[in-house]
């Protein structure tokens, strides 16, 4: 198949869960013999961007970075300002009022040009809020949304439904979100499939030495709050008993992290495994957020055990948690005890690391099969649907 990914975030540097998930999906599709293109939709919020790394992965003919014209961009910004003013005036609780509010309409003509040149078999749009991009592709293109997460509470449900109905297939990252999408869609709508993160499995790390634990995260609200909870409430309890224990923090989250006793800031590391070089225990102290925690699965892929809140393992079946010590949400003493247990007990640390590594292999077997199934168009054609002004041609 000739597959194109359309994304508002780049793949490199792989500093966030959304980037890591999509990067592994792109690599998997390439490895399975598909011709893969990646279209990047730049914005002011795009973060760090390494175009050379994209070209190295995909080749210059298959990586496409679109442009934002100055006049059209000014009109876009004016529209965004009006939406924000309306939400303030009406005291709206939503972050976005219209499904297409953050989509720059100037991208569509550029996408149409690429469609004319390549004639894609499938288009995978990242996030439901960028499904307006489907307008650029012909009726033969199989349209897939990789939702990454639900927008429950962040956008009116009617608008989220409007975006979902533009696709022939909706990908959810876990079962709970798949059920949420199915409840939102009519019975005649096409398949909602669960395709979770595909883990980049490497050589298992040596866990015999341990100077502390690791936290990995990009700089956004939920990660900042989760790390702050650990640093403020758990780390002092750990260091009361083990003064030499250190927390090694990796990722762009270090930009906002204040200095604190026992905290070592690595910054952005070249590889995920580098985050665990001194602290081969993952701290998954999630206090907010939804979706499968990709940092936890990536730790599995390197044979690293973890300590997690209950929220941090949401969406992962209990049989896949043999490498994780799970503690109640908000229970700092219990979390500290679990961290100390793996820090002190070399044998348990090694055994749980081995269990995590075994889980990574079985996890990938399931998710690779699910991805392959999701790329296969349905045998029957769905009825043409009209949702507002959105017309979805039958596949």
């Amino acid at each position: 198949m000739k597959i194109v990914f359309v994304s508002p975030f780049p793949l490199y540097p792989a500093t966030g869960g959304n980037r890591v998930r999509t990067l592994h999906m792109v690599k998997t599709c390439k490895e399975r013999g598909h011709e893969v293109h990646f279209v990047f939709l730049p914005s002011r919020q795009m973060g760090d961007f390494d175009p050379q790394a994209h070209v190295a992965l995909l080749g210059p003919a298959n990586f496409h970075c679109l442009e934002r014209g100055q006049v059209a961009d000014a009109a876009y910004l004016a529209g965004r300002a009006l939406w924000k003013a309306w939400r303030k005036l009406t005291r709206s609780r939503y972050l976005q009022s219209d499904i297409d509010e953050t989509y720059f309409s100037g991208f569509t003509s550029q996408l149409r040009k690429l469609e004319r040149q390549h004639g894609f078999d499938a288009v995978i749009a990242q996030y439901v809020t960028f499904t307006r991009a489907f307008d650029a592709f012909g009726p033969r293109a199989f349209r897939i949304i990789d939702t990454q997460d639900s927008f429950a509470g962040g956008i009116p449900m009617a608008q989220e439904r409007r975006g979902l109905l533009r696709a022939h297939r909706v990908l959810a990252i876990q079962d709970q979100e798949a059920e949420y999408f199915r409840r939102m869609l009519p019975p005649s709508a096409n398949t909602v499939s669960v395709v979770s993160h595909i883990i980049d499995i490497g050589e298992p790390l040596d866990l015999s030495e341990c100077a502390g634990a690791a936290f990995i995260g990009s700089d956004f609200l939920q990660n900042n709050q989760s790390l702050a909870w650990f640093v403020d409430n758990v780390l002092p309890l750990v260091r009361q008993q083990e003064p030499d224990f250190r927390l090694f923090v990796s990722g762009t989250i270090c930009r906002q992290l204040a200095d604190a006793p026992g905290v070592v800031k690595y910054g952005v590391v070249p590889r995920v495994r580098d985050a665990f070089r001194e602290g081969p225990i993952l701290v998954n102290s999630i206090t907010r957020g939804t979706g499968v925690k990709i940092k936890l699965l990536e730790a599995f892929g390197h044979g690293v055990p973890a300590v997690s809140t209950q929220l941090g393992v949401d969406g992962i079946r209990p049989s896949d948690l043999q490498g994780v010590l799970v503690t109640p949400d908000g229970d700092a003493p219990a979390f500290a005890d679990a961290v100390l247990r793996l820090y002190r007990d070399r044998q348990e640390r090694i055994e749980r690391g081995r269990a995590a590594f075994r889980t990574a292999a079985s996890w990938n077997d399931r998710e690779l099969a699910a991805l392959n199934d999701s790329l296969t168009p349905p045998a029957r054609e769905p009825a043409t649907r009209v949702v507002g002004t959105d017309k979805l041609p039958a596949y």
Side-chain angles (χ1 to χ4, degrees):
M1 293 179 71
K2 189 180 291 188
I3 302 171
V4 59
F5 287 77
V6 179
S7 174
F9 54 83
L11 301 174
Y12 293 106
T15 52
N18 54 354
R19 298 185 184 206
V20 172
R21 169 179 168 81
T22 307
L23 174 60
H24 292 342
M25 195 175 289
V26 166
K27 287 182 175 179
T28 298
C29 289
K30 280 174 54 66
E31 290 165 0
R32 299 213 156 193
H34 299 295
E35 179 183 328
V36 179
H37 292 245
F38 184 84
V39 178
F40 174 44
L41 312 178
S43 71
R44 289 166 180 77
Q45 291 78 39
M46 67 186 186
D48 295 336
F49 171 42
D50 184 350
Q52 289 76 27
H54 291 74
V55 172
L57 173 68
L58 297 156
N62 290 33
F63 172 60
H64 316 277
C65 181
L66 303 191
E67 298 178 351
R68 301 173 73 108
Q70 290 185 350
V71 175
D73 200 31
Y76 165 83
L77 293 173
R80 288 281 284 145
L82 287 173
W83 277 119
K84 291 177 182 178
W86 173 255
R87 282 193 292 275
K88 185 175 182 180
L89 180 66
T90 59
R91 298 182 179 179
S92 172
R93 64 184 177 89
Y94 296 113
L95 301 175
Q96 187 168 327
S97 303
D98 184 270
I99 191 65
D100 300 323
E101 182 179 331
T102 56
Y103 178 77
F104 174 64
S105 61
F107 289 144
T108 302
S109 60
Q110 299 173 66
L111 289 168
R112 283 198 180 108
K113 183 178 179 180
L114 290 172
E115 166 67 358
R116 288 193 297 269
Q117 291 173 347
H118 299 282
F120 296 106
D121 299 307
V123 52
I124 303 177
Q126 302 298 316
Y127 295 131
V128 68
T129 50
F130 286 84
T131 52
R132 176 54 68 189
F134 287 149
D135 286 354
F137 298 89
R140 67 180 292 273
F142 187 45
R143 305 177 183 198
I144 303 169
I145 305 172
D146 185 8
T147 58
Q148 297 269 348
D149 202 348
S150 74
F151 275 78
I155 191 170
M157 183 178 290
Q159 290 296 317
E160 188 169 13
R161 181 186 298 113
R162 179 180 163 209
L164 294 173
L165 281 166
R166 292 169 172 169
H168 295 110
R169 179 154 289 146
V170 175
L171 303 186
I173 200 169
Q174 60 170 305
D175 291 333
Q176 293 94 319
E177 290 180 6
E179 287 305 311
Y180 169 77
F181 295 139
R182 290 184 185 116
R183 289 194 302 270
M184 194 186 304
L185 296 171
S188 60
N190 273 308
T191 308
V192 176
S193 302
V194 178
V195 179
S196 194
H197 178 61
I198 298 169
I199 303 171
D200 184 16
I201 299 178
E203 287 294 318
L205 287 165
D206 180 2
L207 308 182
S208 57
E209 300 295 328
C210 183
F215 187 99
I216 306 172
S218 54
D219 178 17
F220 76 102
L221 180 62
Q222 288 90 336
N223 276 343
N224 291 331
Q225 291 176 337
S226 298
L227 177 57
W229 178 78
F230 182 86
V231 171
D232 294 342
N233 299 286
V234 180
L235 187 58
L237 300 179
V238 173
R239 284 174 55 85
Q240 280 177 9
Q241 299 188 50
E242 296 288 350
D244 292 333
F245 179 96
R246 286 169 290 166
L247 177 69
F248 302 95
V249 183
S250 298
T252 56
I253 194 170
C254 291
R255 297 170 182 168
Q256 300 297 325
L257 178 61
D259 294 337
V263 174
V264 178
K265 290 181 275 190
Y266 281 166
V268 176
V269 292
R271 304 170 300 170
V272 171
R273 65 186 297 112
D274 295 330
F276 302 112
R277 61 179 180 262
E278 294 181 90
I281 302 167
L282 175 71
V283 167
N284 196 46
S285 53
I286 305 302
T287 60
R288 285 190 62 186
T290 60
V292 171
K293 303 305 174 282
I294 290 174
K295 66 190 75 175
L296 179 62
L297 300 177
E298 288 294 294
F300 287 178
H302 296 288
V304 173
V307 178
S308 179
T309 55
Q310 187 64 50
L311 181 60
V313 297
D314 188 35
I316 301 178
R317 62 184 70 176
S319 59
D320 289 332
L321 295 174
Q322 302 305 306
V324 186
L325 294 179
V326 182
T327 65
D329 293 332
D331 191 336
F335 204 102
D337 288 345
V339 170
L340 286 166
R341 180 171 150 186
L342 291 182
Y343 175 68
R344 290 166 169 167
D345 192 331
R346 175 179 177 273
Q347 190 57 38
E348 182 176 8
R349 187 169 66 245
I350 290 173
E351 289 175 357
R352 290 195 178 272
R354 289 171 179 164
F357 196 70
R358 290 193 298 270
T359 294
S362 60
W363 179 281
N364 269 7
D365 288 342
R366 294 196 304 269
E367 301 313 319
L368 289 171
L371 176 60
N372 186 62
D373 290 345
S374 297
L375 291 174
T376 305
R380 64 180 178 84
E381 292 186 352
T384 302
R385 295 189 296 273
V386 179
V387 185
T389 58
D390 298 317
K391 296 182 180 181
L392 175 62
Y395 180 79

